[in-house]
Amino acid sequence: MSLTLIVLLPFIGAVLPAIMIRAGRNACATATGSVTLLALILLMAKAPAVIAGEVFQVSYSWLPELGLNVTFFLDGLGLLFATLILGIGLLIIIYARFYLSKDDPMGRFYVFLLLFQGAMVGIVLSDNILLLLIFWELTSLSSFLLIGYWKHLPAGRQGARMALAVTGAGGLAMIAGMLILGDIVGSYDLTVILQNADLIQASPMYLPALILILLGCFTKSAQFPFHFWLPHAMAAPTPVSAYLHSATMVKAGLFLMARMWPVLSGTEIWIVLVCSAGLITMVLGALIAIFKNDLKALLAFSTVSHLGLITFLLGTGTPFGAMAAVFHILNHASFKAALFMSAGIVDHAAATSQSQVAGQSQVFQARQSHLADSQSRGADQPGHLDHGDEDQAWPDEPAKTPANERFQEVTGQSCDSSHQCTSQQHQPGTTGGHPRSTRSQPAPQAATPGIGKPRRHKHQEHSGDQDRKTSDHRTENRIEGEVAEYFATTGNDASRVPGNPAAASGTDDPNPVDSICRLTYFSAPLVSITNLLSSQLPTSIVRIDLNLTMSTT
């Protein structure tokens, strides 16, 4: 009974956010998190027995004449995926509480999220392939609602339609393949199908069934040539991207390939189809990710590449390859969810997910911070620096370097004559920042008493439309010196910050956050393999054995 409750809890609890939102956003998030936490506790209560090798199964008669029964079973593979779905889902619920703006309907978001969560748990715990197909299509519908949550954004609507069209079409192909598979075995129960590998592979209908099932898996997991829908789905809010593209939706196709691996793998056609698709996807996703500046786009294509790596490992048809694939599923879900949520934090803090523009804002804010420090230390004359040539005063406007102009264009910040910057409110659908947020940058600090208006150069003009002329060469050098000194005092290298004038002779490297994402992408497969090899030491470890059930050695 508890196994059925684990599957049904997210569906039953989906009504709570719609009701509790009337009591406030905190109450809504707490109710939603409580549902997921309760399901996770029930799942963890069965974990010791499953790790010991026990398999839990529950069945209810529904339409026996059609072979459709409500049957669930929990083994090692199901435990692994259900833990990822519920565990990361709980973190996403907490994260979304603070990510969504006050203009976003939080109750509706949590309703969609719980519906999707229930569909994913149903996929990994279903023992009947017809029931699995029902949950499979429910994930496509609920992901359509989540990706298109910001329905006022054209990119969000396009990404939702594309994801639904591609995964829905693949789902139709998989329905046909599963019906053929059930007809070969004479049963639609997975536990029966997994015991008839020789019968399935000897059947003349093995090849059509294999191709149709792989089409459903490839479309769901964004494998070549169906990889294009996943980057477009990044128009969704960051909590959706972190959940769907790290531990749930894109992992559904990998889960089904791993679940059917004992009966479908080992043949030459399996190795050719699955390995080829995985290798092409892995290389193509990596190449495209290298040239992306948007953090979420970079993470999207790196996700595509990692999914290709896992698909390739499953396609090898060897027990070690299957174990490595399952291990990297756990590894990828952990670090990719964290990276997506970190990208969302950068998006909020820098008002853009463009890594180059975020780096330019660092230079701009560094100069403003240093100016504030100079004023707090007390300058000899108003508008002067506390070092250098005393005859040079700051102009009314910071120098219009390409970095500053680009930063002001994207973020909407404007600066007054005292070098204090404010940002205009973002309107829905504008570039940069939270698409639905009306957040603004902190208000300018009050002017320091005794500090007058900075003097202007004699040759500088002040026009009625507030356009300023750029400062002369000496003032430009002064700004460069200020930025260089700031980064020198903080231990950073100003020449490695994009958009910094001091970096004109150096390399224009991306934002450090961007670099971390890229380094993580390239190092993660190596780390996974290293950890996998180290796990072969004669210690007590948890592993996935040949029939993909969890046991202890």
Side-chain angles (χ1 to χ4, degrees), residues 330-481:
L330 175 62
N331 179 42
H332 178 261
S334 302
F335 77 78
K336 189 53 65 72
L339 282 176
F340 268 115
M341 289 188 280
S342 300
I345 296 172
V346 172
D347 189 8
H348 266 251
T352 178
S353 59
Q354 292 288 335
S355 58
Q356 290 182 344
V357 179
Q360 293 166 6
S361 72
Q362 287 184 355
V363 176
F364 199 78
Q365 294 172 4
R367 186 175 62 201
Q368 301 303 319
S369 300
H370 188 74
L371 287 174
D373 294 341
S374 300
Q375 289 186 358
S376 64
R377 290 193 302 265
D380 293 338
Q381 295 182 11
H384 281 270
L385 300 177
D386 58 349
H387 67 279
D389 186 5
E390 291 296 334
D391 294 331
Q392 276 295 332
W394 282 97
D396 287 344
E397 179 82 351
K400 291 185 178 180
T401 61
N404 295 340
E405 290 181 346
R406 177 59 180 158
F407 174 67
Q408 183 171 347
E409 175 188 349
V410 174
T411 64
Q413 286 197 355
S414 59
C415 301
D416 56 20
S417 58
S418 61
H419 304 284
Q420 299 292 342
C421 297
T422 59
S423 63
Q424 301 172 355
Q425 292 182 348
H426 290 281
Q427 299 299 327
T430 57
T431 37
H434 197 300
R436 286 296 299 265
S437 176
T438 57
R439 296 177 292 108
S440 60
Q441 299 295 329
Q445 297 179 357
T448 306
I451 302 298
K453 185 177 181 179
R455 295 181 298 174
R456 295 196 301 266
H457 290 286
K458 293 183 296 183
H459 64 273
Q460 192 173 17
E461 299 178 359
H462 182 278
S463 58
D465 58 358
Q466 296 185 356
D467 288 335
R468 306 286 197 265
K469 292 185 178 181
T470 57
S471 59
D472 60 3
H473 183 64
R474 297 183 65 186
T475 305
E476 186 75 28
N477 291 339
R478 180 67 56 81
I479 295 174
E480 297 174 11

Side-chain angles (χ1 to χ4, degrees), residues 104-143:
D104 292 321
M106 180 177 289
R108 187 177 68 184
F109 177 84
Y110 281 141
V111 169
F112 295 162
L113 190 68
L114 286 179
L115 289 176
F116 178 81
Q117 185 180 98
M120 280 301 307
V121 174
I123 287 178
V124 301
L125 297 185
S126 292
D127 186 27
N128 187 283
I129 59 176
L130 299 181
L131 183 63
L132 185 149
L133 291 172
I134 294 176
F135 287 120
W136 187 277
E137 295 304 326
L138 282 177
T139 59
S140 297
L141 294 175
S142 53
S143 65

Side-chain angles (χ1 to χ4, degrees), residues 28 32 57 78 88 124 214 240 259 274 286 343 352 365 441 447 455 474 489 508:
C28 180
T32 307
Q57 190 171 11
I88 296 181
V124 301
L214 287 181
V240 176
R259 177 63 82 192
V274 180
T352 178
Q365 294 172 4
Q441 299 295 329
R455 295 181 298 174
R474 297 183 65 186
T489 56
D508 195 14

Side-chain angles (χ1 to χ4, degrees), residues 84-96 99-100 109 113 116-117 120 146-147 150 229-231 233-251 295-297 299-300 302-303 307 329-345:
L84 289 177
I85 294 166
L86 296 174
I88 296 181
L90 181 60
L91 298 178
I92 294 297
I93 291 171
I94 299 173
Y95 178 84
Y99 178 88
L100 298 176
F109 177 84
L113 190 68
F116 178 81
Q117 185 180 98
M120 280 301 307
L146 285 171
I147 297 172
W150 281 334
W229 71 264
L230 193 146
M234 292 298 160
T238 299
V240 176
S241 302
Y243 196 38
L244 268 65
H245 305 143
S246 66
T248 52
M249 184 173 178
V250 295
K251 295 294 194 298
L295 293 178
K296 290 182 69 176
L299 293 176
S302 69
T303 297
L307 295 175
I329 287 174
L330 175 62
N331 179 42
H332 178 261
S334 302
F335 77 78
K336 189 53 65 72
L339 282 176
F340 268 115
M341 289 188 280
S342 300
I345 296 172

Side-chain angles (χ1 to χ4, degrees), residues 159-173:
R161 289 194 299 266
M162 186 178 296
L164 180 63
V166 175
T167 59
L172 293 176

Side-chain angles (χ1 to χ4, degrees), residues 494-526:
S495 64
R496 299 186 66 83
V497 179
N500 184 7
S505 59
T507 342
D508 195 14
D509 278 359
N511 187 303
V513 177
D514 193 352
S515 301
I516 290 173
C517 293
R518 296 170 192 268
L519 289 175
T520 304
Y521 161 69
F522 284 112
S523 63
L526 181 60

